[in-house]
Amino acid sequence: MTETADVVIIGSGIVGSSVAYHLAQQGCTNVLVLEREAHQGKGSTGKSMGGVRAQFATPVNIQMSRYSIDFFSHFDEVVGHPADYRAHGYLFCATAERHLEYLKTNRQKQIALGVDNVELISRAEIAAIVPPLRVDDVIGGTYCATDGFVDPHSVMMGFMLKARESGVRLWLDTEVTGIEVRGPQAAVGNFVPPALSGRHIAGVLTTRGFISTPIIVNAAGPWAAKVASLAGADLPVSPLRRQLVPTEPFDGLPQRFPMVIDMSTGFHFRREGKGILLAWNDPEETPGFKNDFDNSFIEKILTRAAGRVPCLVDAEVNPRRAWAGLYEMTPDHHAIIGPAPEVAGFYFVNGFSGHGVMHSPASGRITADLILHGQTELIDASQLSVTRFAEGRTLEETAVL
Ligand SMILES: Cc1cc2nc3c(=O)[nH]c(=O)nc-3n(C[C@H](O)[C@H](O)[C@H](O)COP(=O)(O)OP(=O)(O)OC[C@H]3O[C@@H](n4cnc5c(N)ncnc54)[C@H](O)[C@@H]3O)c2cc1C
């Protein structure tokens, strides 16, 4: 007998799990999640820094963060599993007038959208929050106390466990190898919308056989473009390596302090247990499926770290504890959420460009709304449609870390 599902979700990371949860919450429980790995969290979710913030530059990202951070603050009661949300804040430090102006402009947008606790703060206030910081060149910054951190693995597990309680099925060790599309093929170079072309999803081919379904959600993280191509759909998502370096136990910084972002270099850091987690976006990194940690990164990041936090020269680093993972980048650094134009019944929830953990509650909700109702009240979802690239409606998020 052919296996069937009302909705098949490809990928069981934090995003696929959130979509499953939100579908189930709205009564859609004949859902099958397919994951090629033997465990959840082996993709980007398990590599994340767990940062959550509302301090963005575009309204849609601010709206998605606002919904998501509020969700995280109630996650434990609502989902029945810990999110480990810690409201330790994000502190942006400006050393140039143009950076301070940028923070002020963003703050106005954030306040207008209801994030009214973003504070403009002085050099002296910054020094009081993180005394070991070198602030001689800092001219001010912004701080939002409800920004902070979550445990990405725990959030993912919480979403999936709750979805499974409602009847959602999760198949591990199951790779999607093909997508069956039925209906006439649109002429090459002459786009015909799916409603006219009649092309629609019929099922997925997997290493465990064929599954018949009218709806597929692509939640394949950095591998999303490959999955889209199985249905003949174009998706501009490319993998970009990100590397994180934890220090050994270090007490030269306070036990509790915010995520600190040095805007002069992009270096940022936070406490992780007894040590400090160091992050920096290396501009020399090039797209590709590179999962290996490059030891030469350690010297690069420690140079930036010591420049802003001189006492970090005393921190010990074990290269074997450092790791690399993949961001899923889009050309305008915003997620792609919504139906694929080429094939009816095929939905994207991809390309979070470094923000997939923090935006997982909103993206799961938006995707479930679009599948079940064709619209969502959360945001104007047309902004995140993949058609924005062909139609010249790209968004530009400059607050990418
Ligand atoms: C170093 C690093 C730090 C980060 N820090 C942050 C941060 O501080 N805050 C934040 O919000 N975000 C952060 N991110 C980004 C965040 O981790 C991602 O945006 C998010 O995890 C994406 O989740 P996902 O579920 O879409 O993808 P993934 O977690 O990658 O899940 C996709 C799943 O799809 C499966 N899959 C793929 N192809 C197939 C197939 N053909 N068949 C079956 N299964 C398949 C994969 O095995 C995988 O499990 C960071 C990322 C990295 C790498």
Side-chain angles (χ1 to χ4, degrees):
M1 233 173 63
T2 306
E3 191 73 46
T4 62
D6 291 342
V7 180
V8 164
I9 299 172
I10 304 174
S12 72
I14 199 164
V15 172
S17 300
S18 174
V19 175
Y21 166 87
H22 283 91
L23 284 170
Q25 285 299 299
Q26 299 195 41
C28 176
T29 55
N30 185 13
V31 174
L32 177 55
V33 185
L34 302 175
E35 171 56 58
R36 67 179 169 198
E37 300 287 351
H39 304 285
Q40 285 184 259
K42 302 268 250 181
S44 298
T45 301
K47 308 289 170 61
S48 169
M49 202 176 183
V52 300
R53 63 179 159 115
Q55 293 189 72
F56 275 102
T58 60
V60 69
N61 273 347
I62 297 167
Q63 286 170 305
M64 292 197 20
S65 289
R66 192 180 163 210
Y67 174 84
S68 298
I69 292 172
D70 184 56
F71 195 100
F72 287 131
S73 72
H74 298 104
F75 192 95
D76 301 21
E77 306 97 86
V78 173
V79 179
H81 197 83
D84 198 16
Y85 167 58
R86 285 149 283 158
H88 293 187
Y90 261 58
L91 172 60
F92 283 81
C93 303
T95 53
E97 213 41 71
R98 68 189 164 87
H99 285 152
L100 196 56
E101 282 310 310
Y102 170 78
L103 291 177
K104 286 180 185 170
T105 307
N106 289 351
R107 178 172 172 265
Q108 290 309 326
K109 292 185 209 165
Q110 290 149 11
I111 291 171
L113 289 163
V115 186
D116 51 15
N117 60 338
V118 182
E119 300 168 49
L120 266 179
I121 58 173
S122 66
R123 176 200 311 190
E125 287 168 312
I126 291 172
I129 296 172
V130 194
L133 209 65
R134 182 177 68 78
V135 291
D136 54 337
D137 60 344
V138 173
I139 56 172
T142 51
Y143 173 71
C144 178
T146 44
D147 289 349
F149 324 113
V150 294
D151 177 338
H153 194 267
S154 195
V155 170
M156 174 189 71
M157 293 307 287
F159 276 138
M160 187 57 81
L161 287 168
K162 192 75 178 172
R164 292 176 75 183
E165 272 175 24
S166 311
V168 168
R169 290 167 291 155
L170 167 64
W171 286 7
L172 299 170
D173 274 324
T174 311
E175 180 164 4
V176 172
T177 52
I179 293 180
E180 190 163 311
V181 176
R182 297 211 183 118
Q185 181 82 43
V188 177
N190 179 15
F191 173 66
V192 181
L196 300 179
S197 75
R199 299 189 78 220
H200 60 92
I201 291 293
V204 281
L205 298 149
T206 79
T207 45
R208 282 174 67 174
F210 180 73
I211 299 147
S212 167
T213 184
I215 294 175
I216 293 176
V217 178
N218 179 352
W223 302 275
K226 289 185 176 179
V227 166
S229 71
L230 297 176
D234 267 342
L235 185 66
V237 172
S238 57
L240 185 67
R241 179 168 63 177
R242 284 286 293 204
Q243 309 189 82
L244 296 179
V245 177
T247 72
E248 297 296 307
F250 184 74
D251 57 15
L253 278 156
Q255 283 312 304
R256 176 182 166 154
F257 65 91
M259 178 83 86
V260 180
I261 300 103
D262 175 357
M263 293 180 78
S264 67
T265 61
F267 167 68
H268 50 291
F269 61 100
R270 70 166 174 85
R271 185 162 277 290
E272 169 74 15
K274 293 187 172 164
I276 309 297
L277 190 54
L278 312 176
W280 177 63
N281 174 12
D282 185 345
E284 288 175 6
E285 194 57 77
T286 52
F289 288 98
K290 294 179 263 179
N291 271 312
D292 51 311
F293 181 80
D294 175 2
N295 281 349
S296 70
F297 182 73
I298 291 187
E299 194 185 330
K300 291 187 190 176
I301 197 166
L302 286 182
T303 307
R304 271 90 189 168
R308 183 53 60 200
V309 194
C311 66
L312 277 173
V313 289
D314 299 328
E316 283 177 43
V317 165
N318 176 353
R320 276 175 306 188
R321 292 187 54 236
W323 72 89
L326 298 169
Y327 267 21
E328 336 84 74
M329 302 302 291
T330 64
D332 65 1
H333 303 148
H334 279 76
I336 295 170
I337 302 182
E342 298 94 339
V343 189
F346 193 30
Y347 289 81
F348 298 134
V349 55
N350 304 114
F352 289 90
S353 307
H355 314 132
V357 165
M358 65 182 91
H359 286 165
S360 60
S363 50
R365 160 82 193 277
I366 293 164
T367 306
D369 286 351
L370 292 178
I371 291 171
L372 300 175
H373 314 295
Q375 59 181 23
T376 180
E377 287 172 3
L378 209 68
I379 56 163
D380 169 7
S382 68
Q383 294 174 90
L384 297 182
S385 161
V386 69
T387 58
R388 70 181 186 266
F389 299 105
E391 292 166 1
R393 294 186 287 113
T394 50
L395 301 146
E396 191 51 42
E397 178 55 75
T398 41
V400 178
L401 295 179

